Amino acid sequence: MVASKICAAGYYVPEHTVSNDQLSEYVETSDEWIYSRTGIRYRHMSGGENTSQLAAKAAKRILEAAGADPLSVELIIVATISGDYATPSTACLVQAEIGAKNAVAFDLGAACSGFVFALSVADKYIRSGLFQNALVIGAEVMTKTLDFQDRSTCVLFGDGAGGVFLRRGNTGGVLAEDLGSDGMSAQSLLVRHSPVNNLCTQQSCKQPFLCMDGKAIFQFAVRETPKSISRLMDKTTLTYDEIRWIIPHQANSRIIDGIARKLHLPADKFYCNMYDYGNTSSASIPIALGQLWEQGALTEGVRVIIAGFGAGLTWGSLLLEF
Amino acid sequence: MVFEKIQEIIAEQLGRDVSEIQMDTNVEKDLEADSLDLFQIISDIEDEFEVSIEDTDGIQTVGDVVKLVEDAKK
């Protein structure tokens, strides 16, 4: 059977780390408050690098791990909501930076589910035969979108990039998937663009910062993610014992506790790294994959579930085999 | 019936014994639940009773939760 074999994973995060204690010097908050409600203690923040630069650094590591020549790359998809520009795409900037001049490159936006959606799309391109390989990256400089006066959001997010390299093969890859969207609840998590201001209309300009209905998003994540993972499992004959890790989007440890409880699974089945990175939106799952890859944990035949949930609203779960 | 089910949901969410959860039990002070615990409790209750509970700001006791569910079911 034709499959999109995952040949390598990798990640890159900016050098600067910012602790909860450091943040509490800027906004009225505390390490105890943030950590007990989110599981986050540190986040990496860009010292000036933009999203494409983080993505390109991750890309170079991924291609090196895969032993792939940049000129051989046929498709680059970058999942991001914090690209360098509205246009050109971050994927095109990555293409230039890594010298992948033969690739088709575009961005995909599905917020914190972005990498899951991008991997699903790349898998279909490869399985259709259109492309032989794909570089799929999730990259964000989320700190560009934050109001550092808003303690309810600015403590949650961080910057980083990660991704995988897929090659057309016969085994592994995406074994099953469940994707979904709920545009009716779009207003519960927003990062605004410029308003419509032209010869025909003038609209008031709201700040372009990220704004979130934390309660709505928390409840959505805890409610929908377990359902998505259950539907995914219904599509396979595998049991949870045959899956090494569930790697959920790293928004909040309390959300992950809730997902584990609803699925009646032990907490240690769930890979968590938000302690060090915070919520890096579409980068969170591939950073986790990159870490596990570097640890040598994603050996031939290892299966994981990745599960994203976020703005849109969007959600998606993929069952992957290495 | 509503109370017993809510008792069960709160006990499971907070890892408590059902006997600790009575109508006059204060969710925050007696059960040490924070806002995120309450979000999950309300979410589980909404699923269980197939109701929508919008205004959770005034919740103090388990009895307040029971009343919200009974009102929502009307």
Short mmCIF file of all heavy atoms in Angstrom, two decimals, chain A residues 36-38 214-215 218-219 222-223 227 252 254-255 257-258 261-262 264, chain B residues 12-13 34-40 42-44 46-47 53-56:
data_model
loop_
_atom_site.label_atom_id
_atom_site.label_comp_id
_atom_site.label_asym_id
_atom_site.label_seq_id
_atom_site.Cartn_x
_atom_site.Cartn_y
_atom_site.Cartn_z
N SER A 36 0.03 26.39 38.18
CA SER A 36 -1.05 25.52 38.67
C SER A 36 -2.21 25.44 37.68
O SER A 36 -2.93 24.46 37.65
CB SER A 36 -1.55 25.99 40.04
OG SER A 36 -2.22 27.24 39.91
N ARG A 37 -2.38 26.47 36.85
CA ARG A 37 -3.50 26.48 35.91
C ARG A 37 -3.13 26.06 34.49
O ARG A 37 -4.01 25.84 33.66
CB ARG A 37 -4.16 27.86 35.87
CG ARG A 37 -5.03 28.11 37.08
CD ARG A 37 -5.37 29.58 37.23
NE ARG A 37 -6.21 29.80 38.40
CZ ARG A 37 -5.75 29.82 39.65
NH1 ARG A 37 -4.47 29.63 39.88
NH2 ARG A 37 -6.57 30.02 40.68
N THR A 38 -1.83 25.98 34.20
CA THR A 38 -1.44 25.69 32.81
C THR A 38 -0.36 24.63 32.68
O THR A 38 -0.19 24.07 31.58
CB THR A 38 -0.88 26.96 32.12
OG1 THR A 38 0.37 27.31 32.75
CG2 THR A 38 -1.83 28.13 32.23
N GLY A 214 -11.27 32.22 27.28
CA GLY A 214 -10.55 31.08 27.86
C GLY A 214 -11.47 29.95 28.28
O GLY A 214 -11.17 28.77 28.05
N LYS A 215 -12.61 30.31 28.86
CA LYS A 215 -13.54 29.28 29.33
C LYS A 215 -14.09 28.46 28.14
O LYS A 215 -14.11 27.23 28.18
CB LYS A 215 -14.69 29.95 30.08
CG LYS A 215 -15.73 28.99 30.59
CD LYS A 215 -16.90 29.76 31.20
CE LYS A 215 -18.07 28.85 31.41
NZ LYS A 215 -19.30 29.59 31.70
N PHE A 218 -11.31 26.27 26.66
CA PHE A 218 -10.98 25.16 27.57
C PHE A 218 -12.03 24.06 27.47
O PHE A 218 -11.72 22.88 27.32
CB PHE A 218 -10.89 25.70 29.01
CG PHE A 218 -10.39 24.70 30.01
CD1 PHE A 218 -9.05 24.64 30.34
CD2 PHE A 218 -11.26 23.81 30.62
CE1 PHE A 218 -8.57 23.71 31.26
CE2 PHE A 218 -10.80 22.88 31.54
CZ PHE A 218 -9.46 22.83 31.86
N GLN A 219 -13.29 24.48 27.53
CA GLN A 219 -14.38 23.49 27.48
C GLN A 219 -14.42 22.79 26.12
O GLN A 219 -14.64 21.58 26.05
CB GLN A 219 -15.71 24.15 27.81
CG GLN A 219 -15.77 24.55 29.28
CD GLN A 219 -17.14 25.05 29.71
OE1 GLN A 219 -17.87 25.62 28.92
NE2 GLN A 219 -17.47 24.85 30.97
N VAL A 222 -11.50 20.20 25.99
CA VAL A 222 -11.69 19.01 26.84
C VAL A 222 -12.86 18.16 26.33
O VAL A 222 -12.88 16.94 26.50
CB VAL A 222 -11.90 19.44 28.31
CG1 VAL A 222 -12.29 18.26 29.17
CG2 VAL A 222 -10.64 20.09 28.86
N ARG A 223 -13.79 18.80 25.67
CA ARG A 223 -14.96 18.06 25.18
C ARG A 223 -14.69 17.40 23.83
O ARG A 223 -15.00 16.23 23.63
CB ARG A 223 -16.14 19.03 25.06
CG ARG A 223 -17.42 18.40 24.64
CD ARG A 223 -18.55 19.41 24.64
NE ARG A 223 -19.09 19.63 25.97
CZ ARG A 223 -19.70 20.74 26.36
NH1 ARG A 223 -19.81 21.75 25.55
NH2 ARG A 223 -20.18 20.85 27.57
N LYS A 227 -13.34 13.12 21.93
CA LYS A 227 -14.27 12.55 20.94
C LYS A 227 -13.54 12.28 19.64
O LYS A 227 -13.75 11.27 18.98
CB LYS A 227 -15.43 13.53 20.68
CG LYS A 227 -16.43 13.63 21.81
CD LYS A 227 -17.57 14.55 21.35
CE LYS A 227 -18.42 14.97 22.53
NZ LYS A 227 -19.30 16.10 22.18
N ASN A 252 -2.17 23.42 27.49
CA ASN A 252 -2.43 23.54 28.92
C ASN A 252 -2.48 22.13 29.51
O ASN A 252 -3.19 21.26 29.00
CB ASN A 252 -3.80 24.25 29.07
CG ASN A 252 -4.17 24.50 30.50
OD1 ASN A 252 -3.98 23.66 31.36
ND2 ASN A 252 -4.72 25.67 30.76
N ARG A 254 -3.80 21.14 32.15
CA ARG A 254 -5.10 20.81 32.73
C ARG A 254 -6.06 20.31 31.65
O ARG A 254 -6.93 19.47 31.91
CB ARG A 254 -5.68 22.05 33.45
CG ARG A 254 -4.80 22.54 34.60
CD ARG A 254 -5.00 21.72 35.86
NE ARG A 254 -6.33 21.89 36.39
CZ ARG A 254 -6.71 22.89 37.19
NH1 ARG A 254 -5.84 23.82 37.56
NH2 ARG A 254 -7.94 22.95 37.64
N ILE A 255 -5.91 20.83 30.43
CA ILE A 255 -6.72 20.32 29.31
C ILE A 255 -6.32 18.87 29.06
O ILE A 255 -7.18 17.99 28.88
CB ILE A 255 -6.51 21.17 28.04
CG1 ILE A 255 -7.17 22.54 28.21
CG2 ILE A 255 -7.05 20.45 26.79
CD1 ILE A 255 -6.94 23.50 27.04
N ASP A 257 -4.98 16.74 31.14
CA ASP A 257 -5.51 15.91 32.24
C ASP A 257 -6.98 15.56 31.97
O ASP A 257 -7.42 14.43 32.19
CB ASP A 257 -5.42 16.65 33.59
CG ASP A 257 -3.99 16.81 34.07
OD1 ASP A 257 -3.11 16.12 33.54
OD2 ASP A 257 -3.78 17.65 34.96
N GLY A 258 -7.73 16.56 31.52
CA GLY A 258 -9.15 16.36 31.24
C GLY A 258 -9.38 15.37 30.11
O GLY A 258 -10.27 14.51 30.18
N ARG A 261 -8.62 11.88 31.37
CA ARG A 261 -9.69 11.37 32.25
C ARG A 261 -10.88 10.90 31.41
O ARG A 261 -11.46 9.85 31.66
CB ARG A 261 -10.10 12.46 33.24
CG ARG A 261 -10.93 11.95 34.37
CD ARG A 261 -11.07 12.90 35.54
NE ARG A 261 -10.85 14.28 35.20
CZ ARG A 261 -9.86 15.01 35.70
NH1 ARG A 261 -9.00 14.50 36.53
NH2 ARG A 261 -9.74 16.28 35.36
N LYS A 262 -11.22 11.70 30.39
CA LYS A 262 -12.39 11.32 29.58
C LYS A 262 -12.13 10.05 28.77
O LYS A 262 -13.06 9.31 28.47
CB LYS A 262 -12.78 12.47 28.64
CG LYS A 262 -13.40 13.62 29.41
CD LYS A 262 -14.39 14.40 28.58
CE LYS A 262 -15.12 15.38 29.48
NZ LYS A 262 -16.10 16.17 28.77
N HIS A 264 -10.22 7.67 29.84
CA HIS A 264 -9.85 6.64 30.84
C HIS A 264 -8.46 6.08 30.54
O HIS A 264 -8.24 4.86 30.55
CB HIS A 264 -10.90 5.52 30.88
CG HIS A 264 -12.28 6.04 31.12
ND1 HIS A 264 -12.67 6.57 32.34
CD2 HIS A 264 -13.34 6.16 30.31
CE1 HIS A 264 -13.92 6.99 32.24
NE2 HIS A 264 -14.36 6.74 31.02
N GLU B 12 -15.69 12.70 40.71
CA GLU B 12 -14.73 12.15 39.75
C GLU B 12 -13.75 13.22 39.29
O GLU B 12 -12.54 13.00 39.22
CB GLU B 12 -15.48 11.57 38.54
CG GLU B 12 -14.63 10.57 37.78
CD GLU B 12 -14.83 10.60 36.28
OE1 GLU B 12 -15.93 10.96 35.84
OE2 GLU B 12 -13.88 10.27 35.55
N GLN B 13 -14.26 14.40 39.01
CA GLN B 13 -13.39 15.47 38.53
C GLN B 13 -12.34 15.85 39.57
O GLN B 13 -11.18 16.10 39.24
CB GLN B 13 -14.26 16.69 38.16
CG GLN B 13 -13.49 17.96 37.89
CD GLN B 13 -12.57 17.84 36.69
OE1 GLN B 13 -12.85 17.11 35.75
NE2 GLN B 13 -11.44 18.54 36.73
N ASP B 34 -10.58 25.08 41.53
CA ASP B 34 -10.36 26.40 40.94
C ASP B 34 -11.24 26.55 39.70
O ASP B 34 -12.06 25.68 39.38
CB ASP B 34 -8.87 26.64 40.66
CG ASP B 34 -8.32 25.71 39.58
OD1 ASP B 34 -9.11 25.10 38.84
OD2 ASP B 34 -7.09 25.61 39.48
N SER B 35 -11.06 27.68 39.00
CA SER B 35 -11.96 27.99 37.88
C SER B 35 -11.91 26.90 36.80
O SER B 35 -12.93 26.58 36.19
CB SER B 35 -11.61 29.34 37.29
OG SER B 35 -10.26 29.36 36.87
N LEU B 36 -10.72 26.33 36.56
CA LEU B 36 -10.61 25.32 35.50
C LEU B 36 -11.32 24.02 35.90
O LEU B 36 -11.91 23.34 35.05
CB LEU B 36 -9.15 25.03 35.15
CG LEU B 36 -8.32 26.21 34.65
CD1 LEU B 36 -6.96 25.75 34.16
CD2 LEU B 36 -9.04 26.94 33.53
N ASP B 37 -11.26 23.67 37.19
CA ASP B 37 -12.03 22.51 37.66
C ASP B 37 -13.52 22.74 37.40
O ASP B 37 -14.23 21.85 36.94
CB ASP B 37 -11.82 22.29 39.17
CG ASP B 37 -10.41 21.84 39.50
OD1 ASP B 37 -9.89 20.99 38.77
OD2 ASP B 37 -9.85 22.34 40.49
N LEU B 38 -13.95 23.96 37.71
CA LEU B 38 -15.38 24.28 37.55
C LEU B 38 -15.78 24.22 36.07
O LEU B 38 -16.86 23.71 35.74
CB LEU B 38 -15.67 25.67 38.14
CG LEU B 38 -17.14 26.00 38.38
CD1 LEU B 38 -17.81 24.99 39.31
CD2 LEU B 38 -17.29 27.40 38.97
N PHE B 39 -14.88 24.70 35.17
CA PHE B 39 -15.18 24.61 33.72
C PHE B 39 -15.46 23.15 33.35
O PHE B 39 -16.39 22.85 32.60
CB PHE B 39 -13.98 25.06 32.87
CG PHE B 39 -13.67 26.52 32.92
CD1 PHE B 39 -12.53 27.00 32.30
CD2 PHE B 39 -14.50 27.42 33.56
CE1 PHE B 39 -12.21 28.34 32.33
CE2 PHE B 39 -14.19 28.77 33.60
CZ PHE B 39 -13.04 29.22 32.98
N GLN B 40 -14.61 22.25 33.84
CA GLN B 40 -14.75 20.83 33.47
C GLN B 40 -16.00 20.23 34.08
O GLN B 40 -16.69 19.42 33.45
CB GLN B 40 -13.53 20.05 33.92
CG GLN B 40 -12.30 20.41 33.13
CD GLN B 40 -11.31 19.26 33.08
OE1 GLN B 40 -11.64 18.15 32.69
NE2 GLN B 40 -10.09 19.53 33.50
N ILE B 42 -18.76 21.81 34.87
CA ILE B 42 -19.92 22.33 34.13
C ILE B 42 -20.03 21.65 32.76
O ILE B 42 -21.12 21.27 32.32
CB ILE B 42 -19.82 23.88 33.98
CG1 ILE B 42 -19.90 24.55 35.36
CG2 ILE B 42 -20.91 24.41 33.05
CD1 ILE B 42 -21.16 24.31 36.15
N SER B 43 -18.88 21.48 32.11
CA SER B 43 -18.88 20.83 30.80
C SER B 43 -19.43 19.40 30.89
O SER B 43 -20.26 18.97 30.07
CB SER B 43 -17.44 20.85 30.27
OG SER B 43 -17.30 20.00 29.19
N ASP B 44 -18.99 18.65 31.91
CA ASP B 44 -19.48 17.28 32.09
C ASP B 44 -20.98 17.26 32.43
O ASP B 44 -21.72 16.39 31.96
CB ASP B 44 -18.71 16.58 33.23
CG ASP B 44 -17.30 16.20 32.79
OD1 ASP B 44 -16.98 16.37 31.61
OD2 ASP B 44 -16.51 15.76 33.65
N GLU B 46 -23.17 19.58 31.54
CA GLU B 46 -23.91 19.94 30.32
C GLU B 46 -24.09 18.71 29.43
O GLU B 46 -25.16 18.50 28.86
CB GLU B 46 -23.16 21.04 29.55
CG GLU B 46 -23.27 22.40 30.21
CD GLU B 46 -22.49 23.48 29.48
OE1 GLU B 46 -21.48 23.16 28.81
OE2 GLU B 46 -22.88 24.65 29.58
N ASP B 47 -23.04 17.92 29.32
CA ASP B 47 -23.12 16.70 28.49
C ASP B 47 -24.09 15.70 29.11
O ASP B 47 -24.91 15.09 28.41
CB ASP B 47 -21.74 16.05 28.35
CG ASP B 47 -20.81 16.89 27.48
OD1 ASP B 47 -21.31 17.82 26.81
OD2 ASP B 47 -19.60 16.61 27.48
N ILE B 53 -25.36 25.70 30.22
CA ILE B 53 -25.27 26.57 31.40
C ILE B 53 -24.33 27.71 31.07
O ILE B 53 -23.13 27.50 30.88
CB ILE B 53 -24.77 25.76 32.62
CG1 ILE B 53 -25.77 24.64 32.94
CG2 ILE B 53 -24.59 26.68 33.81
CD1 ILE B 53 -25.27 23.64 33.95
N GLU B 54 -24.88 28.91 30.95
CA GLU B 54 -24.08 30.05 30.50
C GLU B 54 -23.43 30.78 31.68
O GLU B 54 -22.23 31.00 31.70
CB GLU B 54 -24.95 31.05 29.71
CG GLU B 54 -25.59 30.45 28.46
CD GLU B 54 -24.57 30.02 27.41
OE1 GLU B 54 -23.45 30.56 27.39
OE2 GLU B 54 -24.89 29.09 26.62
N ASP B 55 -24.25 31.14 32.66
CA ASP B 55 -23.76 32.03 33.71
C ASP B 55 -23.29 31.24 34.92
O ASP B 55 -24.09 30.79 35.74
CB ASP B 55 -24.88 33.01 34.10
CG ASP B 55 -24.35 34.04 35.08
OD1 ASP B 55 -23.11 34.18 35.18
OD2 ASP B 55 -25.17 34.68 35.76
N THR B 56 -21.98 31.05 35.01
CA THR B 56 -21.44 30.25 36.11
C THR B 56 -20.78 31.12 37.18
O THR B 56 -20.24 30.61 38.15
CB THR B 56 -20.39 29.25 35.57
OG1 THR B 56 -19.39 29.99 34.86
CG2 THR B 56 -21.02 28.24 34.62
#
